[in-house]
Amino acid sequence: SVHLVESGGGSVQAGESLVLSCTASGKTNNDFCMGWFRQPPGKEREGVAAIYTGDGETYYLDSVKGRFTISGDAVASTMYLQMNNLKPEDTAIYYCAADPVIRKDCSIDNLQLGYWDQGTQVTVSS
């Protein structure tokens, strides 16, 4: 199995930035589709960003394109989500996830099917 430890999150004003990080341990020798999904208050979970560890291909939710950037450090088994120009609608619990799939099956929509952590709160005030 894979164990994920997430850090970052917090409360900011609209327009500000935050960085989430997530470190994986355990059976991480294979390639994964890794990323974040979130659950806004009173809404369904939605995939936000993903990166395929085999080649670094990235995928984003349309509403965060141009504002969020996902990246990875293979040596440290850590990935990052740089979130710029945050908006109140980005307020949610953010979950780090790792889905052990091949590249063609990597997507933000399937992240919840893999391993994920306890989540971290991101609150954006207007």
Side-chain angles (χ1 to χ4, degrees), residues 6-7 14-15 20 23 26 31 36 42 50 83 91 94 96 106 117:
E6 181 177 11
S7 62
L20 303 180
T23 299
D31 289 321
W36 276 268
M83 303 185 292
T91 295
Y94 283 71
C96 169
C106 184
D117 71 335

Side-chain angles (χ1 to χ4, degrees), residues 38 46-50 59-66 68 90 108-109:
R38 67 187 181 187
E46 60 182 0
V48 176
Y59 311 84
Y60 294 96
L61 179 69
D62 283 346
S63 64
V64 308
K65 286 179 180 177
F68 291 12
D90 294 319
I108 61 172
D109 296 324

Side-chain angles (χ1 to χ4, degrees), residues 10 13 15 31 48 52 55-57 68 71-72 80-81 89 98 100 102-103 105-106 111 123 126:
Q13 296 291 316
D31 289 321
V48 176
Y52 187 66
D55 61 7
E57 184 73 19
F68 291 12
S71 61
Y80 305 93
L81 185 67
E89 52 264 41
I102 57 177
R103 187 187 184 283
D105 294 327
C106 184
L111 287 172
T123 302
S126 58

Side-chain angles (χ1 to χ4, degrees), residues 33-88:
C33 184
M34 296 187 68
W36 276 268
F37 63 90
R38 67 187 181 187
Q39 185 163 24
K43 296 184 179 180
E44 297 292 316
R45 294 175 186 152
E46 60 182 0
V48 176
I51 184 168
Y52 187 66
T53 60
D55 61 7
E57 184 73 19
T58 58
Y59 311 84
Y60 294 96
L61 179 69
D62 283 346
S63 64
V64 308
K65 286 179 180 177
R67 300 189 297 120
F68 291 12
T69 302
I70 188 170
S71 61
D73 181 342
V75 175
S77 296
T78 299
M79 63 176 176
Y80 305 93
L81 185 67
Q82 174 71 47
M83 303 185 292
N84 296 330
N85 189 22
L86 282 160
K87 302 177 179 181

